[in-house]
Amino acid sequence: MSIIIKTSSDIKASEITPKSVYMDRRRFMKQAFASSLLLATDAMLPAWAKRWPDLEASQFNASDKLTPFENVTSYNNFYELGTGKKDPASNASMFNPEPWSIAVEGECNKPGVFNLEDFIKPYALQEYIYRLRCVEGWSMVIPWVGFSLADMLKQFEPNSNAKYVEFTTLLDKSRLPGQARRVLNWPYVEGLRIDEAMNPLPIMAVGLYGDILPSQNGAPIRLVVPWKYGFKSIKSIVKIRFTETQPKATWNERAPEEYGFYSNVNPEVDHPRWSQKTERRIGEPFWKPKHKTQMFNGYGEQVAHLYAGMDLVKYF
Ligand code: MTE
């Protein structure tokens, strides 16, 4: 029996939500919320969080149909706010991402500690429509607001000992109450090889759908690495460290036989407990066939060269 799988190239242009439509919808929602005093008005937002009406589109934007805003912000993995998919949204009000500062440390010439506003000021924000493929077998298509990770890292002038970059999430039980339970070894840590980090695809995201990042999606600043399983895209980052040795990434340390350091999306390498050949697109009706998972999540042209000659079964 063969299954007809709808790929991104089969999606009609009319099915893709044009930006003007969702921006209008967001504007409408904001007005509706603001009038019922449920959402902060612009005046109440932090200084750096101005609205971004006309963002330039990244050259790598996916043309897939966007996952609706409601799904992107209510079906989440953020164990610091609970382990259920709906917990992060339900507990989002417990996490106030202000004030926020980021430390840059390790093998570089220009380390420092920066408040968020100063940290993001040098970069032109763009919109990056990326597929996010979770290791659990589901995916979303999200219009992020962010800037190039490589552009940011270069500012700190990594030296020749910088072979990896390590990222760390805020450790604070009072703001991230899930850290009171030892479900993971806190704080959450992730890492990339320096050449992966310097590839033009990964971004530091500060928003989605044209607005600031909701707490449940990793406010106020997170990583997005679209060719790797979602857990590499660490949320709510407070520290970036250039290192000579491979960082001790949280899920890799927790279960090394299940979650490799690389964790490149690869339909040919199954998770020990399930297949990675297909994925459920969140927000699509349950009767729609699953999507075929693509090598490197469809970004092979941009990243396959990083792994030339590497055994991707061994280095999964
Ligand atoms: N970052 C932190 N600090 N804690 C987490 O639990 N979950 C990861 C990743 N980043 C996680 C995290 C996983 S498993 C996924 S799939 C993505 O965030 C989900 O991002 P989203 O909720 O914005 O879709």
Side-chain angles (χ1 to χ4, degrees):
M1 194 179 74
S2 70
I3 301 173
I4 298 165
I5 292 165
K6 197 169 183 182
T7 65
S8 57
S9 54
D10 298 327
I11 294 172
K12 288 193 234 95
S14 60
E15 282 185 53
I16 299 166
T17 314
K19 193 174 164 204
S20 57
V21 172
Y22 76 69
M23 292 301 286
D24 271 357
R25 192 180 58 87
R26 292 290 297 143
R27 251 192 296 279
F28 169 77
M29 280 173 59
K30 264 185 229 143
Q31 278 159 10
F33 276 123
S35 61
S36 63
L37 292 179
L38 281 173
L39 190 82
T41 59
D42 283 10
M44 293 158 72
L45 286 165
W48 60 268
K50 58 185 172 49
R51 300 300 177 186
W52 307 301
D54 289 310
L55 292 168
E56 199 187 309
S58 115
Q59 56 175 314
F60 307 113
N61 277 7
S63 58
D64 310 39
K65 187 178 176 183
L66 297 181
T67 303
F69 175 83
E70 291 70 18
N71 297 98
V72 173
T73 55
S74 67
Y75 188 91
N76 301 101
N77 274 337
F78 194 3
Y79 278 21
E80 289 87 337
L81 289 176
T83 53
K85 292 285 177 281
K86 293 195 177 305
D87 292 346
S90 311
N91 297 327
S93 62
M94 299 170 96
F95 174 38
N96 178 4
E98 283 178 68
W100 201 265
S101 63
I102 300 181
V104 181
E105 304 175 353
E107 302 289 348
C108 65
N109 299 332
K110 293 188 167 171
V113 180
F114 309 87
N115 70 42
L116 185 64
E117 179 158 13
D118 292 339
F119 188 80
I120 67 178
K121 207 181 284 166
Y123 315 105
L125 297 177
Q126 281 184 262
E127 181 174 71
Y128 295 82
I129 299 180
Y130 280 166
R131 287 180 288 273
L132 179 133
R133 167 60 157 86
C134 181
V135 72
E136 296 164 336
W138 50 266
S139 60
M140 298 197 194
V141 185
I142 304 176
W144 302 104
V145 177
F147 53 89
S148 153
L149 173 68
D151 287 352
M152 186 269 279
L153 294 177
K154 282 176 202 154
Q155 297 277 329
F156 304 105
E157 299 181 5
N159 64 36
S160 58
N161 293 331
K163 306 280 191 299
Y164 296 89
V165 192
E166 178 189 271
F167 303 85
T168 306
T169 295
L170 174 72
L171 180 65
D172 181 350
K173 275 200 276 272
S174 69
R175 291 158 92 186
L176 294 169
Q179 290 174 339
R181 291 176 58 209
R182 293 203 59 82
V183 283
L184 287 175
N185 205 3
W186 312 114
Y188 196 103
V189 170
E190 257 310 334
L192 297 171
R193 223 170 53 190
I194 192 84
D195 58 340
E196 297 179 312
M198 291 298 182
N199 181 277
L201 273 182
I203 57 163
M204 296 295 286
V206 292
L208 56 81
Y209 267 100
D211 215 331
I212 58 170
L213 271 188
S215 293
Q216 61 268 36
N217 292 92
I221 187 161
R222 68 173 293 173
L223 183 67
V224 180
V225 190
W227 73 93
K228 293 180 179 280
Y229 290 121
F231 67 86
K232 299 290 292 183
S233 293
I234 179 173
K235 297 178 171 182
S236 307
I237 295 169
V238 290
K239 190 163 75 184
I240 297 170
R241 187 175 178 79
F242 295 97
T243 64
E244 198 162 6
T245 52
Q246 186 173 295
K248 292 188 186 314
T250 298
W251 279 105
N252 181 228
E253 288 281 302
R254 169 70 194 264
E257 64 296 339
E258 300 196 13
Y259 309 103
F261 176 78
Y262 284 93
S263 279
N264 294 320
V265 174
N266 187 344
E268 301 308 321
V269 178
D270 288 341
H271 183 277
R273 290 182 282 133
W274 58 82
S275 159
Q276 294 289 28
K277 288 201 172 2
T278 60
E279 65 205 54
R280 189 166 59 90
R281 196 53 65 82
I282 300 299
E284 287 185 355
F286 70 93
W287 44 262
K288 272 207 158 187
K290 286 185 169 184
H291 293 244
K292 217 171 168 172
T293 290
Q294 301 176 64
M295 186 66 201
F296 298 118
N297 202 19
Y299 300 95
E301 203 180 309
Q302 287 81 29
V303 300
H305 67 276
L306 296 170
Y307 312 103
M310 250 174 86
D311 179 350
L312 296 182
V313 175
K314 186 169 174 205
Y315 297 103
F316 63 99

